[in-house]
């Protein structure tokens, strides 16, 4: 409910309002209140609002691939249900960057409810996999000359809020459904990077992310297999966190601490 309301409120007003087509993937919801919510949005938006009921076992990649097939737009925005928009302007900012010929995926700065950073870009190669830059640091953040507040390129962006041109999504073959939960976004971004595209985090797009409210990430039974699959497919790209991370910084600490200070902080 918060996602839909904040998404609709932040689309702009009057003649400048963005045209949105919303596709909700309902992965086995049983609450009557959820169905009533969907009906209210259908009445308000008509054909611009669609619900895909898909009760199969949770597979983020498969669910989003199916939703993309049902959307008739030039730009696709994948948005988790625990995201909340704070103010207008973020959609236009994402669309402007995702439409650039050199850009693959455009992502947002995502903050926890306490306004610390959940996502400001993904460092591919950290921990032999990937990690979120500046995670848990307060926002705004001064590390690396305030990079979290600047338009900057990263190895990947999180699929919790990811915009990409439909043509690129189809060219890359969508999300790999062999990654049902973790690392599907990293794999997708790496495939687009292999085609020559760059991924950016857009500082004008700052959203709240109530992370894992609907799923317990710590209880994941799929994470280990997903990391192994990622490492098999992208061994060379995962050997070092460069060029996304400065050489003078500890390679496995997302707070950006200098080399040599790992045991001191």
């Amino acid at each position: 409910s918060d996602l839909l309301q904040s998404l609709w409120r932040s689309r702009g007003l009057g003649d400048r309002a963005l045209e949105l087509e919303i596709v909700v993937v309902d992965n086995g919801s049983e609450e009557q209140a959820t169905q009533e919510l969907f009906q209210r949005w259908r009445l308000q938006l008509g054909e611009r609002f669609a619900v895909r009921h898909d009760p199969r076992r949770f597979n983020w990649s498969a669910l989003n691939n199916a939703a993309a097939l049902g959307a008739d737009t030039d730009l696709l925005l994948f948005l988790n249900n625990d995201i909340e928009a704070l103010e207008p302007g973020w959609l236009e900012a994402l669309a402007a960057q995702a439409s650039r010929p050199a850009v693959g995926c455009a992502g947002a700065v995502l903050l926890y409810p306490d306004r610390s950073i959940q996502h400001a870009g993904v460092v591919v190669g950290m921990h032999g996999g990937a990690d979120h830059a500046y995670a848990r640091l307060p926002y705004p953040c001064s590390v690396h000359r305030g990079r979290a507040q600047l338009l900057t390129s990263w190895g990947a962006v999180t699929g919790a809020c990811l915009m990409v041109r439909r043509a690129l999504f189809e060219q890359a073959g969508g999300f790999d459904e062999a990654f049902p939960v973790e690392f599907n976004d990293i794999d997708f971004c790496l495939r687009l990077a292999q085609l020559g595209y760059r991924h950016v985090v857009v500082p004008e797009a700052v959203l709240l992310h109530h992370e894992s409210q609907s799923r317990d990430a710590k209880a994941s039974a799929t994470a280990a297999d997903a990391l192994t699959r990622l490492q098999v497919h992208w061994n060379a790209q995962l050997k070092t966190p460069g060029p996304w991370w400065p050489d003078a910084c500890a390679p496995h600490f997302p707070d950006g601490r200098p080399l040599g200070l790992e045991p001191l902080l």
Side-chain angles (χ1 to χ4, degrees), residues 149-202:
Q149 292 86 251
L150 303 174
L151 178 67
T152 186
S153 179
W154 293 97
V157 301
T158 179
C161 177
L162 182 155
M163 185 178 282
V164 63
R165 301 194 295 282
R166 165 185 288 285
L168 292 188
F169 184 78
E170 294 175 349
Q171 182 180 352
F175 299 110
D176 184 347
E177 297 179 11
F179 290 99
V181 183
E182 296 87 4
F183 300 121
N184 32 49
D185 43 9
I186 310 301
D187 172 76
F188 178 70
C189 287
L190 285 172
R191 279 185 279 128
L192 279 180
Q194 206 169 42
L195 296 173
Y197 296 97
R198 303 178 67 175
H199 311 300
V200 297
V201 170
V202 183

Side-chain angles (χ1 to χ4, degrees), residues 57-214:
R57 184 177 181 180
F58 182 80
N59 182 316
W60 188 94
S61 299
L63 294 170
N64 280 286
N65 283 343
L69 281 175
D72 183 22
T73 57
D74 293 331
L75 292 171
L76 298 171
L77 172 63
F78 299 95
L79 204 57
N80 280 10
N81 64 350
D82 52 2
I83 299 286
E84 183 180 350
L86 297 172
E87 58 186 28
W90 67 279
L91 276 168
E92 296 95 320
L94 278 180
Q97 294 300 329
S99 298
R100 293 172 56 197
V103 170
C105 298
V109 176
L110 303 181
L111 305 180
Y112 288 111
D114 67 1
R115 300 311 197 264
S116 63
I117 294 172
Q118 189 266 330
H119 169 268
V122 174
V123 186
V124 173
M126 192 169 273
H127 320 297
D131 204 353
H132 288 188
Y134 318 124
R136 293 290 182 184
L137 295 180
Y139 186 85
C141 170
S142 61
V143 175
H144 295 162
R145 300 181 181 179
R147 186 181 180 192
Q149 292 86 251
L150 303 174
L151 178 67
T152 186
S153 179
W154 293 97
V157 301
T158 179
C161 177
L162 182 155
M163 185 178 282
V164 63
R165 301 194 295 282
R166 165 185 288 285
L168 292 188
F169 184 78
E170 294 175 349
Q171 182 180 352
F175 299 110
D176 184 347
E177 297 179 11
F179 290 99
V181 183
E182 296 87 4
F183 300 121
N184 32 49
D185 43 9
I186 310 301
D187 172 76
F188 178 70
C189 287
L190 285 172
R191 279 185 279 128
L192 279 180
Q194 206 169 42
L195 296 173
Y197 296 97
R198 303 178 67 175
H199 311 300
V200 297
V201 170
V202 183
E204 295 87 355
V206 181
L207 310 171
L208 283 188
H209 189 194
H210 306 274
E211 188 185 31
S212 300
Q213 285 198 337
S214 56

